[in-house]
Amino acid sequence: MTTRSPPDPDPYALPSARYRRDGYVVLHEFASAEQCNLLADLARRDLEPLVGPAEFEADVGYPGAPRSRNDAGGTTPRRLLHAYSRDAAFRQFATRSDLGAVLRQLLGNEPCLSQCHHNCVMTKHPGYSSATLWHQDVRYWSFDRPDLVSLWLALGTETAANGALMVIPGSHRLDLDRGRLDRDLFLRPDLAENRALIEQAITLELAAGDVLLFSSRLFHAAGRNDTDAVKLSLVFTYHAADNHPIPGTRSAQYPSIML
């Protein structure tokens, strides 16, 4: 596995072309240092003392997570939920007009922000952060079409050492047999064809202010945070206005926000 994305073979390609090819695109320096500092300060405000709702590492049962909230590190936050509702600064970033212009390219229609999926500050704490195995986000979501785009804003430096995202370029175009996934819809590492696929993965090292936009069908994973500092990332998910959540599912629990 390479540790960072190789140079783009076509640096002049539009974001939509790179996205269609690879399943993701990185917009470098999309947010200013001032904006990142503000958003990170707001996240830290809600982490200490903790302002819910939040998801804890012990809740997910991923590799490296505490077994229960009663174990050491059991109350380590994994995500601050409902970011859009937490502060005007989160709302302003999530609905930026220049972001909307890029999303229109990728989605082919007017973009809507889902309040049901991601919509959070992802945290990775030293010592008790877990690893996330290889998966596609569409395993959680229920829409007319599985064509959603997630936004990942790095609020600080993200590297392999602190659990940066890993992706398998082009995997959003695969149609895998169900047997290649385990009970929880993670890639099964015991299969040779899956190991060969994972060997194509790269780690996306990001600087503060970089934005990663990736397909809900892209296989991705993340390691643990082995540094001594908390990693913070702001994450939202968008869908096209004509791609509706299925009534009665978690995806339809809260109304979407038109950009």
mmCIF file of all heavy atoms in Angstrom, residues 39 43 78-84 90 93-94 99 113-123 137 141 149-155 158 165 206 210-214 220 231-238:
data_model
loop_
_atom_site.group_PDB
_atom_site.id
_atom_site.type_symbol
_atom_site.label_atom_id
_atom_site.label_comp_id
_atom_site.label_asym_id
_atom_site.label_seq_id
_atom_site.Cartn_x
_atom_site.Cartn_y
_atom_site.Cartn_z
ATOM 1 N N LEU A 39 -13.430 26.156 13.316
ATOM 2 C CA LEU A 39 -14.195 24.918 13.374
ATOM 3 C C LEU A 39 -13.586 23.932 14.373
ATOM 4 O O LEU A 39 -14.308 23.243 15.108
ATOM 5 C CB LEU A 39 -14.281 24.292 11.988
ATOM 6 C CG LEU A 39 -15.030 25.119 10.936
ATOM 7 C CD1 LEU A 39 -14.896 24.477 9.552
ATOM 8 C CD2 LEU A 39 -16.497 25.283 11.308
ATOM 9 N N ALA A 43 -15.269 22.398 17.809
ATOM 10 C CA ALA A 43 -15.300 20.969 18.106
ATOM 11 C C ALA A 43 -14.721 20.696 19.489
ATOM 12 O O ALA A 43 -15.295 19.934 20.281
ATOM 13 C CB ALA A 43 -14.529 20.195 17.035
ATOM 14 N N ARG A 78 -16.130 9.125 19.559
ATOM 15 C CA ARG A 78 -15.729 8.814 18.189
ATOM 16 C C ARG A 78 -16.255 9.868 17.223
ATOM 17 O O ARG A 78 -15.572 10.247 16.274
ATOM 18 C CB ARG A 78 -16.259 7.430 17.798
ATOM 19 C CG ARG A 78 -16.042 7.042 16.348
ATOM 20 C CD ARG A 78 -16.642 5.657 16.078
ATOM 21 N NE ARG A 78 -16.618 5.329 14.659
ATOM 22 C CZ ARG A 78 -15.569 4.867 14.001
ATOM 23 N NH1 ARG A 78 -14.427 4.677 14.660
ATOM 24 N NH2 ARG A 78 -15.628 4.595 12.714
ATOM 25 N N ARG A 79 -17.481 10.341 17.490
ATOM 26 C CA ARG A 79 -18.099 11.347 16.625
ATOM 27 C C ARG A 79 -18.957 12.283 17.458
ATOM 28 O O ARG A 79 -19.716 11.837 18.328
ATOM 29 C CB ARG A 79 -18.993 10.695 15.568
ATOM 30 C CG ARG A 79 -18.294 9.804 14.581
ATOM 31 C CD ARG A 79 -19.181 9.483 13.390
ATOM 32 N NE ARG A 79 -20.386 8.767 13.736
ATOM 33 C CZ ARG A 79 -21.405 8.560 12.916
ATOM 34 N NH1 ARG A 79 -21.363 9.061 11.692
ATOM 35 N NH2 ARG A 79 -22.453 7.868 13.294
ATOM 36 N N LEU A 80 -18.857 13.568 17.172
ATOM 37 C CA LEU A 80 -19.832 14.545 17.642
ATOM 38 C C LEU A 80 -20.919 14.620 16.582
ATOM 39 O O LEU A 80 -20.668 15.040 15.447
ATOM 40 C CB LEU A 80 -19.178 15.921 17.821
ATOM 41 C CG LEU A 80 -18.145 16.056 18.934
ATOM 42 C CD1 LEU A 80 -17.474 17.426 18.862
ATOM 43 C CD2 LEU A 80 -18.778 15.850 20.301
ATOM 44 N N LEU A 81 -22.114 14.190 16.924
ATOM 45 C CA LEU A 81 -23.198 14.076 15.953
ATOM 46 C C LEU A 81 -23.922 15.411 15.734
ATOM 47 O O LEU A 81 -23.784 16.335 16.519
ATOM 48 C CB LEU A 81 -24.180 13.003 16.422
ATOM 49 C CG LEU A 81 -23.577 11.609 16.629
ATOM 50 C CD1 LEU A 81 -24.606 10.675 17.278
ATOM 51 C CD2 LEU A 81 -23.073 11.021 15.323
ATOM 52 N N HIS A 82 -24.694 15.481 14.657
ATOM 53 C CA HIS A 82 -25.517 16.645 14.313
ATOM 54 C C HIS A 82 -24.689 17.932 14.239
ATOM 55 O O HIS A 82 -25.051 18.962 14.803
ATOM 56 C CB HIS A 82 -26.664 16.806 15.314
ATOM 57 C CG HIS A 82 -27.620 15.650 15.326
ATOM 58 N ND1 HIS A 82 -28.297 15.228 14.199
ATOM 59 C CD2 HIS A 82 -27.999 14.814 16.323
ATOM 60 C CE1 HIS A 82 -29.062 14.192 14.509
ATOM 61 N NE2 HIS A 82 -28.894 13.907 15.783
ATOM 62 N N ALA A 83 -23.590 17.864 13.495
ATOM 63 C CA ALA A 83 -22.721 19.034 13.363
ATOM 64 C C ALA A 83 -23.463 20.231 12.785
ATOM 65 O O ALA A 83 -23.235 21.370 13.200
ATOM 66 C CB ALA A 83 -21.511 18.685 12.500
ATOM 67 N N TYR A 84 -24.342 19.989 11.805
ATOM 68 C CA TYR A 84 -25.036 21.095 11.141
ATOM 69 C C TYR A 84 -25.823 21.932 12.142
ATOM 70 O O TYR A 84 -25.931 23.159 11.984
ATOM 71 C CB TYR A 84 -25.971 20.537 10.065
ATOM 72 C CG TYR A 84 -26.655 21.598 9.234
ATOM 73 C CD1 TYR A 84 -26.012 22.183 8.147
ATOM 74 C CD2 TYR A 84 -27.952 22.020 9.532
ATOM 75 C CE1 TYR A 84 -26.637 23.156 7.381
ATOM 76 C CE2 TYR A 84 -28.582 22.989 8.776
ATOM 77 C CZ TYR A 84 -27.925 23.551 7.702
ATOM 78 O OH TYR A 84 -28.537 24.518 6.949
ATOM 79 N N PHE A 90 -20.484 25.779 11.297
ATOM 80 C CA PHE A 90 -20.594 24.489 10.609
ATOM 81 C C PHE A 90 -21.592 24.588 9.454
ATOM 82 O O PHE A 90 -21.351 24.062 8.356
ATOM 83 C CB PHE A 90 -21.031 23.397 11.582
ATOM 84 C CG PHE A 90 -20.014 23.043 12.624
ATOM 85 C CD1 PHE A 90 -20.352 22.995 13.963
ATOM 86 C CD2 PHE A 90 -18.705 22.744 12.275
ATOM 87 C CE1 PHE A 90 -19.415 22.665 14.934
ATOM 88 C CE2 PHE A 90 -17.752 22.407 13.233
ATOM 89 C CZ PHE A 90 -18.118 22.372 14.565
ATOM 90 N N PHE A 93 -20.099 26.559 6.458
ATOM 91 C CA PHE A 93 -19.149 25.791 5.653
ATOM 92 C C PHE A 93 -19.870 24.754 4.794
ATOM 93 O O PHE A 93 -19.578 24.591 3.607
ATOM 94 C CB PHE A 93 -18.111 25.092 6.526
ATOM 95 C CG PHE A 93 -17.162 24.259 5.714
ATOM 96 C CD1 PHE A 93 -16.093 24.842 5.073
ATOM 97 C CD2 PHE A 93 -17.385 22.898 5.541
ATOM 98 C CE1 PHE A 93 -15.243 24.085 4.260
ATOM 99 C CE2 PHE A 93 -16.544 22.133 4.746
ATOM 100 C CZ PHE A 93 -15.474 22.728 4.106
ATOM 101 N N ALA A 94 -20.827 24.052 5.387
ATOM 102 C CA ALA A 94 -21.505 22.951 4.703
ATOM 103 C C ALA A 94 -22.305 23.414 3.501
ATOM 104 O O ALA A 94 -22.598 22.612 2.607
ATOM 105 C CB ALA A 94 -22.416 22.220 5.677
ATOM 106 N N LEU A 99 -18.672 25.276 -2.845
ATOM 107 C CA LEU A 99 -18.836 23.841 -2.625
ATOM 108 C C LEU A 99 -20.029 23.325 -3.429
ATOM 109 O O LEU A 99 -19.954 22.273 -4.078
ATOM 110 C CB LEU A 99 -19.025 23.549 -1.141
ATOM 111 C CG LEU A 99 -19.371 22.115 -0.769
ATOM 112 C CD1 LEU A 99 -18.265 21.157 -1.200
ATOM 113 C CD2 LEU A 99 -19.620 21.993 0.733
ATOM 114 N N LEU A 113 -27.817 18.526 1.402
ATOM 115 C CA LEU A 113 -27.071 17.968 2.515
ATOM 116 C C LEU A 113 -27.984 17.057 3.321
ATOM 117 O O LEU A 113 -29.079 17.453 3.714
ATOM 118 C CB LEU A 113 -26.525 19.091 3.405
ATOM 119 C CG LEU A 113 -25.682 18.687 4.607
ATOM 120 C CD1 LEU A 113 -24.640 19.762 4.910
ATOM 121 C CD2 LEU A 113 -26.536 18.471 5.860
ATOM 122 N N SER A 114 -27.550 15.840 3.558
ATOM 123 C CA SER A 114 -28.312 14.913 4.397
ATOM 124 C C SER A 114 -27.991 15.180 5.861
ATOM 125 O O SER A 114 -26.823 15.243 6.247
ATOM 126 C CB SER A 114 -27.952 13.463 4.060
ATOM 127 O OG SER A 114 -28.533 12.583 5.009
ATOM 128 N N GLN A 115 -29.032 15.351 6.670
ATOM 129 C CA GLN A 115 -28.817 15.487 8.111
ATOM 130 C C GLN A 115 -28.808 14.121 8.809
ATOM 131 O O GLN A 115 -28.609 14.045 10.018
ATOM 132 C CB GLN A 115 -29.906 16.357 8.735
ATOM 133 C CG GLN A 115 -29.886 17.802 8.287
ATOM 134 C CD GLN A 115 -30.747 18.678 9.149
ATOM 135 O OE1 GLN A 115 -30.335 19.169 10.200
ATOM 136 N NE2 GLN A 115 -31.977 18.891 8.715
ATOM 137 N N CYS A 116 -28.999 13.061 8.031
ATOM 138 C CA CYS A 116 -29.130 11.719 8.611
ATOM 139 C C CYS A 116 -27.833 10.928 8.591
ATOM 140 O O CYS A 116 -27.701 9.955 9.348
ATOM 141 C CB CYS A 116 -30.199 10.927 7.851
ATOM 142 S SG CYS A 116 -31.822 11.698 7.810
ATOM 143 N N HIS A 117 -26.891 11.300 7.728
ATOM 144 C CA HIS A 117 -25.682 10.495 7.562
ATOM 145 C C HIS A 117 -24.443 11.382 7.663
ATOM 146 O O HIS A 117 -24.423 12.487 7.108
ATOM 147 C CB HIS A 117 -25.718 9.751 6.241
ATOM 148 C CG HIS A 117 -26.910 8.847 6.126
ATOM 149 N ND1 HIS A 117 -27.144 7.820 7.006
ATOM 150 C CD2 HIS A 117 -27.950 8.839 5.250
ATOM 151 C CE1 HIS A 117 -28.266 7.201 6.677
ATOM 152 N NE2 HIS A 117 -28.776 7.809 5.626
ATOM 153 N N HIS A 118 -23.428 10.867 8.360
ATOM 154 C CA HIS A 118 -22.252 11.642 8.724
ATOM 155 C C HIS A 118 -22.728 12.869 9.525
ATOM 156 O O HIS A 118 -23.095 12.720 10.664
ATOM 157 C CB HIS A 118 -21.407 11.988 7.509
ATOM 158 C CG HIS A 118 -20.641 10.802 6.992
ATOM 159 N ND1 HIS A 118 -20.494 10.542 5.660
ATOM 160 C CD2 HIS A 118 -19.999 9.800 7.626
ATOM 161 C CE1 HIS A 118 -19.791 9.436 5.491
ATOM 162 N NE2 HIS A 118 -19.478 8.963 6.673
ATOM 163 N N ASN A 119 -22.700 14.060 8.919
ATOM 164 C CA ASN A 119 -23.174 15.247 9.645
ATOM 165 C C ASN A 119 -22.550 15.283 11.026
ATOM 166 O O ASN A 119 -23.228 15.367 12.047
ATOM 167 C CB ASN A 119 -24.705 15.228 9.745
ATOM 168 C CG ASN A 119 -25.289 16.517 10.318
ATOM 169 O OD1 ASN A 119 -24.614 17.552 10.329
ATOM 170 N ND2 ASN A 119 -26.508 16.455 10.816
ATOM 171 N N CYS A 120 -21.212 15.242 11.070
ATOM 172 C CA CYS A 120 -20.533 15.052 12.348
ATOM 173 C C CYS A 120 -19.121 15.612 12.310
ATOM 174 O O CYS A 120 -18.582 15.941 11.242
ATOM 175 C CB CYS A 120 -20.478 13.557 12.693
ATOM 176 S SG CYS A 120 -19.412 12.602 11.583
ATOM 177 N N VAL A 121 -18.542 15.706 13.487
ATOM 178 C CA VAL A 121 -17.096 15.887 13.622
ATOM 179 C C VAL A 121 -16.533 14.527 14.009
ATOM 180 O O VAL A 121 -16.856 13.988 15.077
ATOM 181 C CB VAL A 121 -16.738 16.935 14.678
ATOM 182 C CG1 VAL A 121 -15.215 17.032 14.822
ATOM 183 C CG2 VAL A 121 -17.326 18.296 14.321
ATOM 184 N N MET A 122 -15.722 13.948 13.137
ATOM 185 C CA MET A 122 -15.044 12.685 13.437
ATOM 186 C C MET A 122 -13.822 12.980 14.298
ATOM 187 O O MET A 122 -13.050 13.900 13.999
ATOM 188 C CB MET A 122 -14.585 12.010 12.148
ATOM 189 C CG MET A 122 -15.702 11.435 11.303
ATOM 190 S SD MET A 122 -16.161 9.797 11.887
ATOM 191 C CE MET A 122 -17.153 9.236 10.494
ATOM 192 N N THR A 123 -13.670 12.211 15.359
ATOM 193 C CA THR A 123 -12.515 12.387 16.228
ATOM 194 C C THR A 123 -11.733 11.078 16.314
ATOM 195 O O THR A 123 -12.326 9.996 16.284
ATOM 196 C CB THR A 123 -12.940 12.813 17.643
ATOM 197 O OG1 THR A 123 -13.459 11.683 18.345
ATOM 198 C CG2 THR A 123 -13.985 13.913 17.601
ATOM 199 N N ASP A 137 -19.890 3.204 2.187
ATOM 200 C CA ASP A 137 -20.897 3.849 3.031
ATOM 201 C C ASP A 137 -22.323 3.501 2.625
ATOM 202 O O ASP A 137 -23.234 3.619 3.451
ATOM 203 C CB ASP A 137 -20.709 5.372 3.005
ATOM 204 C CG ASP A 137 -19.529 5.815 3.863
ATOM 205 O OD1 ASP A 137 -19.110 5.047 4.750
ATOM 206 O OD2 ASP A 137 -19.030 6.933 3.633
ATOM 207 N N TRP A 141 -27.068 3.203 4.024
ATOM 208 C CA TRP A 141 -27.967 4.243 3.560
ATOM 209 C C TRP A 141 -29.033 3.704 2.630
ATOM 210 O O TRP A 141 -28.829 2.702 1.939
ATOM 211 C CB TRP A 141 -27.178 5.346 2.854
ATOM 212 C CG TRP A 141 -26.111 5.955 3.709
ATOM 213 C CD1 TRP A 141 -26.012 5.884 5.072
ATOM 214 C CD2 TRP A 141 -24.993 6.716 3.269
ATOM 215 N NE1 TRP A 141 -24.907 6.558 5.498
ATOM 216 C CE2 TRP A 141 -24.253 7.078 4.420
ATOM 217 C CE3 TRP A 141 -24.547 7.139 2.024
ATOM 218 C CZ2 TRP A 141 -23.092 7.836 4.354
ATOM 219 C CZ3 TRP A 141 -23.391 7.894 1.961
ATOM 220 C CH2 TRP A 141 -22.678 8.244 3.119
ATOM 221 N N VAL A 149 -22.337 11.708 -2.237
ATOM 222 C CA VAL A 149 -20.969 12.204 -2.120
ATOM 223 C C VAL A 149 -20.736 12.646 -0.682
ATOM 224 O O VAL A 149 -21.527 13.418 -0.130
ATOM 225 C CB VAL A 149 -20.717 13.400 -3.068
ATOM 226 C CG1 VAL A 149 -19.309 13.950 -2.870
ATOM 227 C CG2 VAL A 149 -20.928 12.987 -4.515
ATOM 228 N N SER A 150 -19.657 12.161 -0.095
ATOM 229 C CA SER A 150 -19.288 12.597 1.248
ATOM 230 C C SER A 150 -18.131 13.583 1.182
ATOM 231 O O SER A 150 -17.232 13.457 0.346
ATOM 232 C CB SER A 150 -18.900 11.398 2.120
ATOM 233 O OG SER A 150 -20.033 10.609 2.397
ATOM 234 N N LEU A 151 -18.194 14.567 2.054
ATOM 235 C CA LEU A 151 -17.156 15.596 2.188
ATOM 236 C C LEU A 151 -16.404 15.368 3.485
ATOM 237 O O LEU A 151 -17.024 15.201 4.542
ATOM 238 C CB LEU A 151 -17.791 16.985 2.174
ATOM 239 C CG LEU A 151 -16.869 18.178 2.418
ATOM 240 C CD1 LEU A 151 -17.408 19.416 1.706
ATOM 241 C CD2 LEU A 151 -16.707 18.508 3.909
ATOM 242 N N TRP A 152 -15.087 15.372 3.402
ATOM 243 C CA TRP A 152 -14.215 15.179 4.563
ATOM 244 C C TRP A 152 -13.266 16.367 4.612
ATOM 245 O O TRP A 152 -12.391 16.505 3.775
ATOM 246 C CB TRP A 152 -13.455 13.877 4.416
ATOM 247 C CG TRP A 152 -12.587 13.478 5.570
ATOM 248 C CD1 TRP A 152 -11.388 14.014 5.927
ATOM 249 C CD2 TRP A 152 -12.851 12.423 6.502
ATOM 250 N NE1 TRP A 152 -10.882 13.369 7.021
ATOM 251 C CE2 TRP A 152 -11.755 12.389 7.400
ATOM 252 C CE3 TRP A 152 -13.894 11.517 6.663
ATOM 253 C CZ2 TRP A 152 -11.693 11.463 8.445
ATOM 254 C CZ3 TRP A 152 -13.826 10.609 7.700
ATOM 255 C CH2 TRP A 152 -12.741 10.591 8.576
ATOM 256 N N LEU A 153 -13.448 17.240 5.585
ATOM 257 C CA LEU A 153 -12.564 18.396 5.761
ATOM 258 C C LEU A 153 -11.563 18.108 6.864
ATOM 259 O O LEU A 153 -11.946 17.871 8.025
ATOM 260 C CB LEU A 153 -13.372 19.648 6.121
ATOM 261 C CG LEU A 153 -12.562 20.863 6.588
ATOM 262 C CD1 LEU A 153 -11.654 21.382 5.478
ATOM 263 C CD2 LEU A 153 -13.488 21.973 7.098
ATOM 264 N N ALA A 154 -10.287 18.119 6.525
ATOM 265 C CA ALA A 154 -9.236 17.939 7.530
ATOM 266 C C ALA A 154 -9.068 19.241 8.304
ATOM 267 O O ALA A 154 -8.779 20.281 7.722
ATOM 268 C CB ALA A 154 -7.921 17.550 6.861
ATOM 269 N N LEU A 155 -9.263 19.180 9.620
ATOM 270 C CA LEU A 155 -9.072 20.362 10.467
ATOM 271 C C LEU A 155 -7.650 20.438 11.009
ATOM 272 O O LEU A 155 -7.296 21.382 11.699
ATOM 273 C CB LEU A 155 -10.086 20.344 11.612
ATOM 274 C CG LEU A 155 -11.552 20.437 11.161
ATOM 275 C CD1 LEU A 155 -12.487 20.406 12.362
ATOM 276 C CD2 LEU A 155 -11.787 21.704 10.342
ATOM 277 N N GLU A 158 -3.452 15.170 8.482
ATOM 278 C CA GLU A 158 -3.887 13.774 8.550
ATOM 279 C C GLU A 158 -2.860 12.910 7.823
ATOM 280 O O GLU A 158 -2.573 13.119 6.645
ATOM 281 C CB GLU A 158 -5.274 13.607 7.933
ATOM 282 C CG GLU A 158 -6.323 14.495 8.604
ATOM 283 C CD GLU A 158 -7.748 13.995 8.433
ATOM 284 O OE1 GLU A 158 -7.943 12.905 7.851
ATOM 285 O OE2 GLU A 158 -8.669 14.706 8.897
ATOM 286 N N LEU A 165 -7.557 8.568 6.211
ATOM 287 C CA LEU A 165 -8.354 7.676 5.382
ATOM 288 C C LEU A 165 -7.493 6.983 4.326
ATOM 289 O O LEU A 165 -6.592 7.589 3.737
ATOM 290 C CB LEU A 165 -9.465 8.454 4.676
ATOM 291 C CG LEU A 165 -10.760 8.709 5.439
ATOM 292 C CD1 LEU A 165 -11.744 9.431 4.537
ATOM 293 C CD2 LEU A 165 -11.379 7.417 5.946
ATOM 294 N N LEU A 206 -3.610 14.451 4.178
ATOM 295 C CA LEU A 206 -4.234 15.753 3.982
ATOM 296 C C LEU A 206 -3.616 16.782 4.909
ATOM 297 O O LEU A 206 -3.194 16.461 6.024
ATOM 298 C CB LEU A 206 -5.736 15.654 4.264
ATOM 299 C CG LEU A 206 -6.540 14.631 3.455
ATOM 300 C CD1 LEU A 206 -7.986 14.591 3.942
ATOM 301 C CD2 LEU A 206 -6.477 14.941 1.958
ATOM 302 N N ASP A 210 -7.644 20.945 3.542
ATOM 303 C CA ASP A 210 -7.914 20.101 2.374
ATOM 304 C C ASP A 210 -9.273 19.436 2.525
ATOM 305 O O ASP A 210 -9.654 18.999 3.623
ATOM 306 C CB ASP A 210 -6.848 19.015 2.229
ATOM 307 C CG ASP A 210 -5.505 19.557 1.777
ATOM 308 O OD1 ASP A 210 -5.438 20.735 1.397
ATOM 309 O OD2 ASP A 210 -4.522 18.786 1.829
ATOM 310 N N VAL A 211 -9.997 19.327 1.412
ATOM 311 C CA VAL A 211 -11.295 18.661 1.390
ATOM 312 C C VAL A 211 -11.208 17.441 0.488
ATOM 313 O O VAL A 211 -10.748 17.538 -0.663
ATOM 314 C CB VAL A 211 -12.398 19.614 0.894
ATOM 315 C CG1 VAL A 211 -13.605 18.842 0.366
ATOM 316 C CG2 VAL A 211 -12.846 20.536 2.021
ATOM 317 N N LEU A 212 -11.634 16.319 1.000
ATOM 318 C CA LEU A 212 -11.780 15.090 0.226
ATOM 319 C C LEU A 212 -13.259 14.888 -0.071
ATOM 320 O O LEU A 212 -14.086 14.903 0.845
ATOM 321 C CB LEU A 212 -11.247 13.892 1.029
ATOM 322 C CG LEU A 212 -11.618 12.497 0.517
ATOM 323 C CD1 LEU A 212 -10.965 12.216 -0.832
ATOM 324 C CD2 LEU A 212 -11.236 11.436 1.541
ATOM 325 N N LEU A 213 -13.608 14.735 -1.340
ATOM 326 C CA LEU A 213 -14.963 14.386 -1.760
ATOM 327 C C LEU A 213 -14.905 12.968 -2.311
ATOM 328 O O LEU A 213 -14.109 12.681 -3.211
ATOM 329 C CB LEU A 213 -15.465 15.349 -2.832
ATOM 330 C CG LEU A 213 -15.600 16.818 -2.405
ATOM 331 C CD1 LEU A 213 -15.881 17.703 -3.613
ATOM 332 C CD2 LEU A 213 -16.687 16.983 -1.361
ATOM 333 N N PHE A 214 -15.730 12.060 -1.776
ATOM 334 C CA PHE A 214 -15.646 10.670 -2.230
ATOM 335 C C PHE A 214 -17.024 10.034 -2.349
ATOM 336 O O PHE A 214 -17.974 10.386 -1.646
ATOM 337 C CB PHE A 214 -14.733 9.841 -1.322
ATOM 338 C CG PHE A 214 -15.183 9.670 0.100
ATOM 339 C CD1 PHE A 214 -15.829 8.510 0.517
ATOM 340 C CD2 PHE A 214 -14.923 10.653 1.051
ATOM 341 C CE1 PHE A 214 -16.223 8.343 1.831
ATOM 342 C CE2 PHE A 214 -15.315 10.490 2.370
ATOM 343 C CZ PHE A 214 -15.967 9.333 2.762
ATOM 344 N N HIS A 220 -13.253 2.260 1.466
ATOM 345 C CA HIS A 220 -12.299 3.032 2.237
ATOM 346 C C HIS A 220 -12.168 2.440 3.641
ATOM 347 O O HIS A 220 -12.997 1.644 4.086
ATOM 348 C CB HIS A 220 -12.700 4.506 2.302
ATOM 349 C CG HIS A 220 -14.050 4.760 2.891
ATOM 350 N ND1 HIS A 220 -15.228 4.469 2.232
ATOM 351 C CD2 HIS A 220 -14.439 5.269 4.088
ATOM 352 C CE1 HIS A 220 -16.260 4.800 2.978
ATOM 353 N NE2 HIS A 220 -15.815 5.275 4.126
ATOM 354 N N LYS A 231 -7.137 13.866 16.477
ATOM 355 C CA LYS A 231 -7.376 14.247 15.083
ATOM 356 C C LYS A 231 -8.849 14.608 14.927
ATOM 357 O O LYS A 231 -9.726 13.869 15.378
ATOM 358 C CB LYS A 231 -7.005 13.112 14.122
ATOM 359 C CG LYS A 231 -7.200 13.472 12.648
ATOM 360 C CD LYS A 231 -6.561 12.439 11.740
ATOM 361 C CE LYS A 231 -7.380 11.181 11.642
ATOM 362 N NZ LYS A 231 -8.673 11.395 10.941
ATOM 363 N N LEU A 232 -9.127 15.737 14.258
ATOM 364 C CA LEU A 232 -10.493 16.226 14.064
ATOM 365 C C LEU A 232 -10.775 16.406 12.574
ATOM 366 O O LEU A 232 -9.962 16.997 11.853
ATOM 367 C CB LEU A 232 -10.690 17.571 14.773
ATOM 368 C CG LEU A 232 -10.475 17.603 16.287
ATOM 369 C CD1 LEU A 232 -10.523 19.042 16.795
ATOM 370 C CD2 LEU A 232 -11.523 16.741 16.993
ATOM 371 N N SER A 233 -11.922 15.903 12.128
ATOM 372 C CA SER A 233 -12.333 16.028 10.735
ATOM 373 C C SER A 233 -13.826 16.322 10.705
ATOM 374 O O SER A 233 -14.602 15.692 11.423
ATOM 375 C CB SER A 233 -12.059 14.734 9.958
ATOM 376 O OG SER A 233 -10.768 14.229 10.229
ATOM 377 N N LEU A 234 -14.222 17.265 9.860
ATOM 378 C CA LEU A 234 -15.635 17.603 9.697
ATOM 379 C C LEU A 234 -16.167 16.847 8.485
ATOM 380 O O LEU A 234 -15.576 16.907 7.402
ATOM 381 C CB LEU A 234 -15.788 19.112 9.499
ATOM 382 C CG LEU A 234 -17.211 19.664 9.359
ATOM 383 C CD1 LEU A 234 -18.039 19.381 10.609
ATOM 384 C CD2 LEU A 234 -17.166 21.163 9.081
ATOM 385 N N VAL A 235 -17.281 16.113 8.660
ATOM 386 C CA VAL A 235 -17.752 15.216 7.607
ATOM 387 C C VAL A 235 -19.246 15.440 7.354
ATOM 388 O O VAL A 235 -20.058 15.390 8.288
ATOM 389 C CB VAL A 235 -17.504 13.739 7.987
ATOM 390 C CG1 VAL A 235 -17.782 12.835 6.780
ATOM 391 C CG2 VAL A 235 -16.073 13.532 8.486
ATOM 392 N N PHE A 236 -19.592 15.669 6.086
ATOM 393 C CA PHE A 236 -20.981 15.805 5.656
ATOM 394 C C PHE A 236 -21.222 14.912 4.444
ATOM 395 O O PHE A 236 -20.274 14.540 3.739
ATOM 396 C CB PHE A 236 -21.309 17.255 5.281
ATOM 397 C CG PHE A 236 -21.303 18.221 6.430
ATOM 398 C CD1 PHE A 236 -20.289 19.165 6.558
ATOM 399 C CD2 PHE A 236 -22.310 18.182 7.380
ATOM 400 C CE1 PHE A 236 -20.288 20.071 7.622
ATOM 401 C CE2 PHE A 236 -22.315 19.077 8.446
ATOM 402 C CZ PHE A 236 -21.303 20.016 8.570
ATOM 403 N N THR A 237 -22.484 14.600 4.173
ATOM 404 C CA THR A 237 -22.848 13.797 3.004
ATOM 405 C C THR A 237 -23.949 14.507 2.224
ATOM 406 O O THR A 237 -24.867 15.086 2.813
ATOM 407 C CB THR A 237 -23.316 12.395 3.437
ATOM 408 O OG1 THR A 237 -22.207 11.704 4.025
ATOM 409 C CG2 THR A 237 -23.824 11.594 2.254
ATOM 410 N N TYR A 238 -23.858 14.425 0.888
ATOM 411 C CA TYR A 238 -24.765 15.131 -0.002
ATOM 412 C C TYR A 238 -25.384 14.170 -1.014
ATOM 413 O O TYR A 238 -24.763 13.177 -1.413
ATOM 414 C CB TYR A 238 -24.015 16.229 -0.754
ATOM 415 C CG TYR A 238 -23.370 17.260 0.167
ATOM 416 C CD1 TYR A 238 -22.114 17.028 0.723
ATOM 417 C CD2 TYR A 238 -24.022 18.445 0.478
ATOM 418 C CE1 TYR A 238 -21.526 17.954 1.575
ATOM 419 C CE2 TYR A 238 -23.445 19.383 1.327
ATOM 420 C CZ TYR A 238 -22.196 19.127 1.874
ATOM 421 O OH TYR A 238 -21.609 20.046 2.721
#
